[in-house]
Amino acid sequence: MANLNFNHKIKKSWSKILHKNEKKEKNLLFHSLLSGDDITLDVCSFEEVLPYSLLSVPISAITSNDSVWIATSMLSRISDITDNLVVVEDEFPIGTVSPYEIMRGLRKNSSARYLQENVTRIMNVDFYIDSRNINLIDVLNRMNKTKNPFTIIENGKQNFSQFSIKQILEIGALCKTDVTVSMFPKKKIPTFRKEDKIRNVIELLSENNNKLHLT
């Protein structure tokens, strides 16, 4: 959960860059993997700019019969890969679970029984399933609007992969741009002390998707 602010910062920065480019002449060009041409972001699809390997990252799945404890344990082990688990039933996605859903549930019910509850009680049912040929700009704009930096890509029947805001870094590696580091916003990182109570830390983490540092 210490990495909760990663997605939020990248999403906010990317949104500002996109907004600036709407006002100026478009200067973001991507090398199409299909045609070999340089194309602008508004016509990029997943297949145009992402290598097949990045489009085929399997979803991190959890079943609808599993508990909040299992979801928490899984997320702690795969946090470097994704911040979202996909809840599946009969091999089809029915919801997603991230650290935000787990913390919201913990704030409402801080007893040990909470971890034994079914994961479907806290899962987010407001998620998207996209195809590989959807325009990338549409996905990015939707992520910014809904504040949900994650989508599921349907490769075929009962075959899904995941795409999160973290993979924007991979897209950036294929981009020809004059964007500079100074365009990314600076943000003061809140901190906590060893003597602070766990409840206070959870409250701080829940506010604006904060990332905390020990002082």
Side-chain angles (χ1 to χ4, degrees):
M1 293 186 182
N3 293 323
L4 289 178
N5 197 45
F6 181 76
N7 286 349
H8 177 70
K9 291 179 70 176
I10 293 180
K11 179 174 59 181
K12 185 176 179 181
S13 302
W14 193 260
S15 173
K16 288 195 173 185
I17 292 173
L18 289 176
H19 184 65
K20 287 187 177 184
N21 284 324
E22 289 175 357
K23 296 180 179 179
K24 299 179 180 181
E25 180 181 355
K26 294 181 178 178
N27 59 352
L28 289 173
L29 292 177
F30 297 82
H31 183 72
S32 171
L33 299 177
L34 299 181
S35 67
D37 298 329
D38 289 338
I39 55 178
T40 54
L41 185 62
D42 57 317
V43 296
C44 288
S45 68
F46 281 119
E47 289 186 316
E48 291 267 28
V49 295
L50 282 177
Y52 183 83
S53 59
L54 287 178
L55 275 177
S56 303
V57 177
I59 58 173
S60 299
I62 189 171
T63 74
S64 57
N65 296 321
D66 288 322
S67 66
V68 174
W69 167 249
I70 293 177
T72 304
S73 179
M74 288 181 64
L75 281 170
S76 68
R77 288 169 169 76
I78 63 174
S79 60
D80 290 340
I81 303 172
T82 181
D83 288 334
N84 288 267
L85 293 174
V86 179
V87 184
V88 296
E89 189 171 79
D90 295 328
E91 300 185 53
F92 195 85
I94 62 171
T96 61
V97 177
S98 73
Y100 310 121
E101 281 77 48
I102 291 176
M103 285 198 302
R104 278 198 293 267
L106 186 60
R107 293 174 70 185
K108 294 178 181 179
N109 179 10
S110 57
S111 69
R113 293 179 59 186
Y114 165 67
L115 294 175
Q116 304 304 320
E117 290 183 356
N118 191 283
V119 71
T120 57
R121 294 176 63 89
I122 65 166
M123 71 180 184
N124 177 20
V125 296
D126 185 17
F127 67 100
Y128 293 87
I129 299 178
D130 293 310
S131 67
R132 286 171 175 262
N133 59 8
I134 189 173
N135 276 5
L136 187 57
I137 188 67
D138 294 335
V139 176
L140 293 174
N141 286 335
R142 187 185 70 212
M143 285 181 172
N144 182 57
K145 183 178 179 180
T146 62
K147 310 302 179 185
N148 184 6
F150 180 79
T151 190
I152 298 169
I153 302 173
E154 186 171 13
N155 304 311
K157 187 177 180 180
Q158 297 179 335
N159 183 1
F160 303 92
S161 55
Q162 63 186 26
F163 179 83
S164 70
I165 201 68
K166 289 183 178 181
Q167 287 161 284
I168 295 299
L169 295 176
E170 302 292 345
I171 297 175
L174 302 172
C175 177
K176 298 179 180 180
T177 177
D178 58 1
V179 173
T180 63
V181 175
S182 62
M183 295 179 65
F184 289 80
K186 296 180 180 179
K187 182 179 180 180
K188 183 179 179 181
I189 300 176
T191 60
F192 69 96
R193 297 169 298 180
K194 290 188 291 185
E195 59 268 25
D196 288 341
K197 295 181 179 179
I198 295 297
R199 175 178 290 277
N200 294 337
V201 175
I202 292 175
E203 292 289 340
L204 285 172
L205 284 170
S206 300
E207 293 175 4
N208 301 318
N209 301 336
N210 274 326
K211 172 182 177 181
L212 299 182
H213 285 251
L214 179 65
T215 58

